[in-house]
């Protein structure tokens, strides 16, 4: 039996040096090797909602960042693997309008 999760590949320093580091530039240029970054799966059964999901997240993040300052309510919140990495308590934040 074989168990694999995207989390294990996404955190493999062979493909992603210093995997814990926030390093958006690793996606520039040719980006990661094919089938090494697979949040939406890969191959013929790859997620058909991929582009829609990416656009929706982009619009959401744009509006949150543009309209609000935000602070984490749990500064040391743990990250759990389920099977992807997620904040254990759902990342509660306090939103403060920029003009406040
Ligand atoms: C951040 C959001 C999303 C993530 C991370 C995600 C991730 C995934 C993954 C990992 C798979 C399995 C791919 C594979 O087996 O290789 C999948 C399949 C699928 N996703 Fe998504 N997905 C997301 C959003 C969506 C949305 C918005 C829709 C529809 C509007 C959608 C519809 C589907 C469908 C129908 C499948 C099954 C495809 C098949 O088996 O042929 N997903 N998704």
């Amino acid at each position: 039996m074989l168990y694999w999760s995207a989390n294990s590949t996404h955190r493999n320093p062979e493909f992603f040096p210093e995997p814990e580091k926030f390093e958006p530039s690793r996606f520039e240029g040719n980006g990661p090797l094919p089938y090494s970054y697979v949040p939406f799966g890969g191959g013929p059964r790859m997620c058909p909602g991929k582009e829609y999901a990416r656009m929706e997240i982009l619009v959401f993040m744009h509006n949150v960042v543009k309209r609000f300052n935000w602070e984490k309510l749990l500064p040391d919140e743990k990250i759990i693997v389920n099977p992807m990495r997620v904040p254990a308590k759902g990342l509660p934040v306090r939103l403060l309008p920029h003009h406040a």
Side-chain angles (χ1 to χ4, degrees):
M1 226 192 277
L2 181 68
Y3 177 78
W4 168 85
S5 87
N7 182 58
S8 56
T9 301
H10 293 173
R11 294 180 71 204
N12 184 339
E14 192 183 325
F15 303 115
F16 301 97
E18 296 187 76
E20 297 293 333
K21 196 170 160 200
F22 179 65
E23 184 61 85
S25 63
R26 55 173 107 238
F27 295 95
E28 286 173 0
N30 290 333
L33 286 173
Y35 295 101
S36 61
Y37 185 64
V38 285
F40 294 95
R45 301 299 294 267
M46 188 181 205
C47 177
K50 176 179 179 230
E51 292 308 324
Y52 171 72
R54 289 177 49 147
M55 176 59 72
E56 191 184 335
I57 294 166
L58 187 65
V59 169
F60 174 78
M61 288 307 296
H62 169 84
N63 281 296
V64 170
V65 170
K66 219 178 140 202
R67 295 180 193 187
F68 302 100
N69 288 321
W70 47 305
E71 57 192 39
K72 288 173 75 174
L73 294 184
L74 307 171
D76 299 318
E77 185 178 5
K78 295 256 177 310
I79 300 289
I80 55 170
V81 178
N82 181 28
M84 297 298 277
R85 288 154 65 79
V86 290
K89 308 275 186 191
L91 190 66
V93 295
R94 177 173 291 121
L95 294 177
L96 305 157
H98 278 312
H99 59 263

